[in-house]
Structure formats: C-alpha cells, structure tokens
Amino acid sequence: MSDLKVAVIGVGKMGAFHVDSLTKRTRGAQVVAVSDFSPERAAEVAGPIGARVVADPFVAIGAADVDAVVLASPGFAHEKQVLACLERGIPVLCEKPLTMDGPTSYEVVRAEAETGRSLIQVGFMRRFDTEYAGLRSLIESGELGAPLVLHCTHRNPEVPDSFTSEMAMTDSVVHEADCTRFLLGEEVVAVTVLRGTPTSAAPAGVSDPMLVLFETESGRLVTVESFVRTGVAYEVRTELVAECGQATIGLDQNLQVKQAGRWGGTISPDFVVRFGAAYDTQMQRWVDAAAQGTIDGAGAWDGYAAAAICEAGVDAVRSGRRTEVKLEARP
C-alpha cells in the first residue's frame, strides 16, 4: 500500500510536533500539505519536508491527493473544518476541543452518525500513554476491587496572563474529564468547583489553583487539582483508590541522582516531554486506522462528552454551585 497522504492544518507548537511525528517517527504516512494562518510559519514547517503550503485550510482538506487530515488549528475553527472532512468522507485527527461548546459538538456527532462511518478521532493522547493504559487494565481486571475515588493533579509551570479560570477548565481539566470516562467507563453527571486563595502569580480575578469535583453516574468521585502557574514544572498525576488497594501513575520517576548527602532528579518541563511517546503512539495508530478509512481512539462522542463536562465546569466556576452535565441522547 502507498503512504497515507496527510494535510496538517495549524502548525503552532502542537501542529509542528505532529508534522515531525508523521515525517520521522510514523510508518506509512506522508505530509503533503500544510496550512496555517501565518504563511511564513507554514513555509517554515513545510519546506524541510517537501510539502506544499496551502493558504486556505478548506482547499487543503479538499485536495484530491489528501487522504486524511490532522487538525491542530485554534478550537474556534474546528467545527467547520471537521465538517469539511466529513463531507469528503476522509478521517480526521482533531486536537481538543472538538468544538467550542456542547451543542455544536453534538451537531458534529450527528453529522458523523449520518455518514454511517467513524471518521473523527479527538486527540486525547493520554489514552495512549502506557501508564494510563496500564491503570485502565488494572481497573478492568478487578484486582483492586471496585474503584471508588480518583485523585487527579494537573499543574503547569506557567500560562499567559490571558489564561482565565474558565480556560483552566476547557484547556487543562478537559483532559481529566476524558481520563475519568476512559478509566472508569462511565459518564460524568455533575461538576463542582471550589475557588480558593489564588497564587500571587495569577492576574486579578483569576482563581488559580482550583479544586474540581466530578461525580459519575454510579456515584464515584473524582477530585482534580488545577494549578497552572506553579512556576515549577508540568506535573500530571492520578491516584486510584479502590476497595482493595490503591494505585498511582505520573510520579515522574526519571533519572535519580544521589550525591554528597543529597538526591534529586528531573520532572517534565512541558506536556510534549511528558506525553511525547503517547502522541507518537496515537499518531501511528491513527495512521494505521485512517489507511483503512476509520479511527482508533477517542471518537466524536468522546469529544462531545468532554465538551459537555467542561461547559458544566465553566458554569460551576462562575456560579460556585454544583452543576449537572447535560448530555443529549447518543445517535
């Protein structure tokens, strides 16, 4: 079989990483077109790999030699770009969010259902991380008994001042929303947010850190510490508390050094370092599936469910009240 011909839309840090992954670390794929709102940036990424620059993303999506699309464009552009992929009937790997809100995400779910095919994969890469996959297998094995509580930590070293309390929910906690569903195999039905004393690094009016509580349909509880201005590193951890034991992932047990009465090591500076292998695994499995005209990972419904959870979370941030998640019927 010939290589899967891919167009990459949006080549900021994430999109450029995907181009590099497709070109250097993924079998059976070739990036043939690159599109970005900055022509200079697109040329910078496309030039070394011999891909062409296409100014209009919809022209890139519609190109006859494009078999599949990777979307790493801004979230507000995703809805129309994903729908354009559906109209062509080609697989698309869309970075989160699927769209900017629950209703539009649901319309995308409905549009895909009408095609009778699974074409939309959402880039929840933690599903491909060996530790998350291992924890899910442990839960499914029943070795620790029934899962009762998940404790999640999501910390970033820094974010721009424009990063609001609501964005902490839609850009950071969204991963915990998907991981909760991935690990426990059930929907989140309610979200509560506690806004405590903020760090001095947070702009006026922004709550950072925040404590988020998810309730699942069977009554399990999930706590999420969201702290995006720690000034330290990128730290993502999850502890499972079950009936017959506990398990923890994300301890960053990298190189440890002991010297002259002290010891230390390193923790990941950013999300690409921590989850780089997961991104590459996700890409390889998506390429393999896309070559068969389908996907292998979080689908459109997963993207919609995460959007609905975050929508409830944003309401909870603003109101300070427990907010129920509203999910439409699955097509």
Side-chain angles (χ1 to χ4, degrees), residues 107-262:
E107 288 307 309
V108 169
V109 169
R110 286 168 56 91
E112 184 192 52
E114 289 174 0
T115 71
R117 300 172 61 193
S118 295
L119 293 171
I120 302 167
Q121 182 166 326
V122 182
F124 288 123
M125 76 295 175
R126 292 190 195 175
R127 294 178 176 228
F128 299 91
D129 178 71
T130 55
E131 293 187 36
Y132 278 93
L135 182 58
R136 186 190 193 195
S137 295
L138 180 64
I139 291 172
E140 290 177 337
S141 74
E143 182 179 339
L144 296 184
L148 303 173
V149 180
L150 289 178
H151 295 295
C152 306
T153 299
H154 190 132
R155 299 175 184 163
N156 289 60
E158 60 183 358
V159 293
D161 285 346
S162 57
F163 199 93
T164 63
S165 304
E166 291 85 354
M167 289 175 68
M169 183 66 61
T170 58
D171 282 26
S172 296
V173 179
V174 61
H175 284 290
E176 272 65 38
D178 183 68
C179 286
T180 294
R181 299 178 64 254
F182 175 67
L183 293 172
L184 298 181
E186 57 181 327
E187 300 293 354
V188 173
V189 298
V191 184
T192 304
V193 178
L194 297 179
R195 304 175 67 169
T197 301
T199 173
S200 59
V206 174
S207 293
D208 187 25
M210 296 189 298
L211 185 63
V212 181
L213 175 66
F214 293 151
E215 301 170 48
T216 72
E217 55 192 344
S218 71
R220 296 182 172 107
L221 301 177
V222 181
T223 66
V224 182
E225 176 206 315
S226 170
F227 190 8
V228 296
R229 296 175 176 86
T230 68
V232 180
Y234 181 77
E235 301 175 78
V236 172
R237 292 188 290 277
T238 297
E239 180 188 17
L240 164 70
V241 180
E243 287 184 325
C244 304
Q246 299 87 41
T248 302
I249 60 174
L251 293 176
D252 272 325
Q253 297 294 325
N254 298 316
L255 177 64
Q256 303 265 327
V257 178
K258 296 181 180 180
Q259 185 180 37
R262 61 181 181 176

Side-chain angles (χ1 to χ4, degrees), residues 28-106:
Q30 178 188 359
V31 178
V32 296
V34 170
S35 182
D36 194 88
F37 72 92
S38 167
E40 294 79 14
R41 176 60 177 166
E44 179 184 348
V45 173
I49 63 170
R52 66 182 183 278
V53 173
V54 183
D56 186 334
F58 295 99
V59 171
I61 292 169
D65 65 337
V66 168
D67 304 318
V69 174
V70 172
L71 285 183
S73 51
F76 63 79
H78 288 179
E79 179 186 1
K80 291 182 178 180
Q81 292 172 356
V82 167
L83 290 175
C85 294
L86 289 182
E87 287 178 10
R88 271 210 66 203
I90 58 175
V92 53
L93 174 60
C94 177
E95 279 299 330
K96 57 84 178 169
L98 177 57
T99 72
M100 297 299 288
D101 56 52
T104 54
S105 287
Y106 187 66

